[in-house]
């Protein structure tokens, strides 16, 4: 049996951090989605005129709560972004990619010698 690479098995510290960020975002968005959909279903099943205090509650649970949670997740992701961009290996090969109209210019630089 061969050892196939998997998205669920990160192989470097940066990939492990990216995987944990992805899982937190997926779970957070799923919770927000489930709450908003349950409030929507509850509101549709009521079929009565909605009093003003209930409208405020629906606005808070349907707009302000998701906006607050998703904004918090965004701040958390960008706060940990420096851990993903920092190189963990001093001897890693540096790659510079320049996009042109119909092709890519790829240059490899050895960090030890500085040669391309």
């Amino acid at each position: 049996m061969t050892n196939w690479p998997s998205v669920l098995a990160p192989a470097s510290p940066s990939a492990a951090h990216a995987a944990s960020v992805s899982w937190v975002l997926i779970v957070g968005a799923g919770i927000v989605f489930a709450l908003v959909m349950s409030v929507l279903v509850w509101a549709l099943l009521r079929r009565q005129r909605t009093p003003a205090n209930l409208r405020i509650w629906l606005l808070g649970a349907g707009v302000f709560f998701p906006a607050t949670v998703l904004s918090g997740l965004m701040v958390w992701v960008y706060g940990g972004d420096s851990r993903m961009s920092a190189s963990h290996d001093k001897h890693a090969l540096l790659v510079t990619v320049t996009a042109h109209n119909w092709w890519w210019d790829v240059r490899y630089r050895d960090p030890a010698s500085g040669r391309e």
Side-chain angles (χ1 to χ4, degrees), residues 2 20-21 30 40 43-44 47 55 57 66 68-69 72-73 79 82-83 88 91 94 105:
T2 60
S20 67
V21 166
L40 176 66
L44 290 175
R47 301 276 184 208
R55 287 184 185 164
W57 190 83
T68 303
V69 170
L73 287 172
S82 62
R83 287 183 279 170
H88 294 285
H91 304 293
L94 300 174
D105 182 23

Side-chain angles (χ1 to χ4, degrees), residues 29-53:
I31 290 170
V32 167
F33 179 77
L35 178 71
V36 170
M37 289 300 113
S38 63
V39 168
L40 176 66
V41 168
W42 179 69
L44 290 175
L45 293 177
R46 277 191 55 107
R47 301 276 184 208
Q48 299 173 7
R49 285 192 62 158
T50 310
N53 60 355

